[in-house]
Amino acid sequence: MKNNASDPASPQNGHPISVVAARTGLSRDVLRVWERRYGAVEPIRTTGGQRRYSDAHVARFRLLAAAVGHGRPIGSVAQLGTEELTRLVAEDEAQRSPHRTEWVPSLARTLDSALAAIVVLDAPALDAQLRRAIAHEGVPWFLEVLVPDLMRTVGDRWVAGQLTIAHEHLASAAVIAIIMETIRAVPPLQAAPRVVVATPAGEHHAMGAALAAAAASLQGWSIVYLGADVPHADVRAAATVTDARAVALSVTYVQDSARIISEIIALRGNLNAAVPLLVGGAGAEGIAGSLGGHHIVLCESLAELRRELANAESSR
């Protein structure tokens, strides 16, 4: 009988994603995107289906972070074998000049540059940094990796008293402007399915809904974007009038959980049973237990949102 206590690939010896984030310096969002979108690692599964990561996974994530830090897109290195990845990183390190000062489009450097612009309220500089990141890494990386990390950092610094509401609003305005520009730049086909995107009444933060709208747009859906703080009756009416095939709600900060939960459940109860109700955002996890059993689909990431939209499209 195998001794799991000595098996590094055993779930009991694996690390939760919080430990991996602490040991690699990568955010949970980055780790999830690299795993799910790019197949960077195959996590261990516990009997309950929870992800666990081995020491080898942690080492591989560190190598990938180093490769990306040297300017290589994650999509070009995620599928490399560990030995080849180790050799590539070593070569990049050897070739890097100690006097090199040009901009390297890594997540950490992009965050630092964007935050520097936000601190001094320099909107043009922030816009330029964000667009350079998109040019190098692409829109999906911008939506799924950079924006969540940037806005979380801005929020944390605001809570700590290091930034003000003005800083947060400037950052949000710059990001949402680019997101909406992205949606307009990808006109849907005439027969494209429609998805209504909003935040429920009581949720005033539109960033998550804008991200969801952009992700759906890249998936080929036609977007009916209602913005923030929309009562359930109005969301349902919009879905009915537009013959939407799906409704997506974003929940970022839950200040009145009873109201948010009530709004979401009421929408589900009045929405066509064939139309999936997709709920995501940073605040959704905290209310997930209250939404279970109501035929509401919780999406942990934009990648999951896209998969659910693909399922909704194929089922019709």
Side-chain angles (χ1 to χ4, degrees):
M1 182 174 181
K2 193 171 184 178
N3 182 8
N4 286 338
S6 61
D7 179 9
S10 170
Q12 291 91 329
N13 295 323
H15 309 295
I17 195 169
S18 57
V19 172
V20 181
R23 292 188 178 186
T24 62
L26 297 168
S27 73
R28 298 185 188 193
D29 289 319
V30 170
L31 292 169
R32 290 191 183 105
V33 170
W34 286 8
E35 173 198 330
R36 297 174 182 175
R37 181 176 178 81
Y38 297 103
V41 303
E42 181 65 32
I44 311 163
R45 294 282 183 172
T46 67
T47 55
Q50 295 176 317
R51 291 176 173 83
R52 290 293 183 268
Y53 301 86
S54 66
D55 289 339
H57 290 146
V58 175
R60 181 168 174 79
F61 274 127
R62 285 173 175 160
L63 285 170
L64 289 170
V68 171
H70 292 145
R72 297 185 183 276
I74 183 62
S76 71
V77 295
Q79 296 300 312
L80 296 180
T82 300
E83 289 186 8
E84 185 177 0
L85 184 59
T86 301
R87 177 187 56 78
L88 186 67
V89 169
E91 289 180 357
D92 286 343
E93 287 289 349
Q95 293 298 320
R96 179 185 290 274
S97 168
H99 303 294
R100 183 177 173 184
T101 57
E102 66 263 29
W103 185 81
V104 179
S106 69
L107 176 60
R109 287 177 180 267
T110 303
L111 282 174
D112 287 345
S113 299
L115 286 169
I118 292 169
V119 166
V120 296
L121 297 175
D122 190 340
L126 175 59
D127 182 78
Q129 290 293 340
L130 297 178
R131 292 179 187 278
R132 291 183 76 177
I134 292 173
H136 189 274
E137 294 289 350
V139 173
W141 182 87
F142 172 78
L143 297 176
E144 297 178 7
V145 179
L146 177 59
V147 171
D149 257 30
L150 176 63
M151 299 313 300
R152 183 181 299 105
T153 302
V154 169
D156 290 345
R157 293 194 179 187
W158 173 71
V159 170
Q162 299 170 352
L163 295 176
T164 68
I165 289 294
H167 294 101
E168 192 275 336
H169 283 190
L170 180 136
S172 296
V175 171
I176 290 178
I178 292 178
I179 291 173
M180 292 306 171
E181 184 179 309
T182 299
I183 295 173
R184 290 192 294 269
V186 187
L189 298 175
Q190 188 171 5
R194 294 186 181 90
V195 56
V196 173
V197 183
T199 79
E203 169 58 89
H204 300 278
H205 297 84
M207 179 65 69
L211 287 169
S217 176
L218 294 177
Q219 192 78 7
W221 285 63
S222 178
I223 309 302
V224 182
Y225 180 72
L226 305 183
D229 192 27
V230 185
H232 66 86
D234 295 308
V235 178
R236 181 198 58 79
T240 301
V241 169
T242 61
D243 192 26
R245 291 193 189 176
V247 173
L249 295 181
S250 172
V251 180
T252 302
Y253 297 110
V254 180
Q255 294 181 324
D256 185 344
S257 59
R259 181 184 183 190
I260 295 294
I261 292 166
S262 174
E263 283 287 321
I264 295 174
I265 292 177
L267 174 59
R268 177 67 280 176
N270 291 296
L271 196 62
N272 185 324
V275 176
L277 176 57
L278 313 176
V279 178
E285 184 177 356
I287 60 174
S290 300
L291 300 180
H294 293 278
H295 303 289
I296 296 167
V297 180
L298 293 171
C299 300
E300 292 184 3
S301 65
L302 293 180
E304 287 193 16
L305 171 67
R306 289 200 305 271
R307 283 196 292 271
E308 292 297 336
L309 289 175
N311 292 337
E313 187 174 8
S314 63
S315 66
R316 293 296 289 265

